[in-house]
Amino acid sequence: MIKLMIADDFDILREDLKENLESLGYCVSKCVSSALDAVNEYDESIDIVLMDIEMEESDSGIKAAEAILDKYKDAKIIYLTSHDSDEMIMTAFATGAEDFIVKGVSAQEIKEHIDAVYNNKPQLDDRVRNIVMCEYKRLRQSEQNLLYFIKHISSLTPTEKDLIHCFLLDMKVREIASQRNVELSTVKSQIRTLLQKFGCSRSKEIVVIIKGLGLEHLFN
């Protein structure tokens, strides 16, 4: 029998959920009303924790999950919460939780999620899955861009680094030529070479990538 802990500060919801899950064959061995109690009461006999996010504070469940997973690496936590913003979902999964369920679904649906997590096959809802996959793709793309830029940054000349510094200041070509006291045609030629090096068609593309990767400090 799968043993559960329910952590939720809403007494009526917590007790109703306990009753429904026990009727579906689960053992709800512990019910707590605070994140602090969730951390203190958790032990390795518990198979899965159903964790609310907002209890004592707006992110208490997040902190409780982090504390539990820091001590018990194999703990399995499913967030069951009314907070469903993209940012909250990503913050929740960053703790190492297994699943994220938005309150309001049926007990049968919660059962399906519990069973899937217990069998190490989390069943994410479509929206949650899409958010996680989009973030994964974004991080992979950022990693690829970072490696690509590091490779090419190492080959930049002092003049090219200075050009990028000017790009970051949103300076126009004429302003760059005037500041450096060189011909406009010289600056344009240098910019063309720089764009080719990075495979970009416009200087703004370089600026966007550098800012996106947080590399502005390299060109101060």
Side-chain angles (χ1 to χ4, degrees):
M1 183 179 290
I2 298 175
K3 294 184 178 181
L4 307 175
M5 170 191 278
I6 299 174
D8 196 306
D9 63 344
F10 190 177
D11 295 344
I12 296 176
L13 187 152
R14 187 178 65 250
E15 293 305 319
D16 183 60
L17 181 60
K18 178 178 184 293
E19 182 179 334
N20 285 328
L21 291 176
E22 288 180 335
S23 72
L24 291 172
Y26 297 108
C27 171
V28 180
S29 60
K30 296 184 179 181
C31 273
V32 298
S33 60
S34 72
L36 180 61
D37 286 343
V39 174
N40 292 336
E41 292 293 323
Y42 180 86
D43 60 54
E44 292 175 307
S45 70
I46 297 169
D47 295 307
I48 295 173
V49 180
L50 293 175
M51 182 80 74
D52 189 16
I53 288 180
E54 184 172 359
M55 288 184 274
E56 301 98 315
E57 299 176 356
S58 61
D59 61 347
S60 293
I62 297 287
K63 294 176 181 176
E66 289 176 335
I68 290 172
L69 287 164
D70 184 57
K71 185 175 181 180
Y72 301 95
K73 305 300 183 184
D74 296 327
K76 294 181 177 180
I77 296 176
I78 298 175
Y79 288 106
L80 181 59
T81 178
S82 58
H83 294 276
D84 65 343
S85 68
D86 292 5
E87 181 180 0
M88 182 60 74
I89 289 172
M90 289 313 307
T91 299
F93 276 105
T95 64
E98 300 283 337
D99 202 349
F100 190 104
I101 307 172
V102 179
K103 287 180 178 179
V105 300
S106 67
Q108 182 59 40
E109 288 179 88
I110 295 175
K111 179 183 186 304
E112 292 172 2
H113 283 267
I114 291 172
D115 291 346
V117 167
Y118 183 77
N119 291 308
N120 298 312
K121 297 178 180 179
Q123 177 183 299
L124 304 181
D125 289 335
D126 289 343
R127 176 169 175 266
V128 173
R129 184 186 300 108
N130 288 338
I131 291 170
V132 172
M133 288 306 299
C134 284
E135 180 66 8
Y136 172 74
K137 290 177 181 177
R138 186 190 69 78
L139 291 174
R140 284 295 301 274
Q141 186 62 48
S142 292
E143 180 182 353
Q144 292 170 3
N145 287 340
L146 180 58
L147 292 174
Y148 181 85
F149 261 67
I150 288 175
K151 175 183 176 182
H152 288 282
I153 284 172
S154 62
S155 68
L156 292 177
T157 66
T159 295
E160 288 170 336
K161 289 181 179 179
D162 185 53
L163 277 176
I164 293 177
H165 173 71
C166 293
F167 294 163
L168 291 168
L169 294 176
D170 198 28
M171 293 176 63
K172 308 302 181 186
V173 177
R174 291 186 181 278
E175 292 174 323
I176 297 173
S178 176
Q179 176 179 288
R180 297 174 61 202
N181 197 28
V182 297
E183 295 292 331
L184 187 62
S185 59
T186 300
V187 174
K188 288 182 177 179
S189 176
Q190 291 170 341
I191 291 176
R192 281 196 297 271
T193 300
L194 183 60
L195 292 175
Q196 289 173 0
K197 184 172 288 188
F198 284 106
C200 296
S201 59
R202 300 166 59 222
S203 60
K204 287 188 179 297
E205 292 177 36
I206 295 178
V207 171
V208 168
I209 297 175
I210 287 175
K211 288 185 175 181
L213 296 173
L215 299 177
E216 296 99 319
H217 63 284
L218 297 179
F219 304 95
N220 290 334

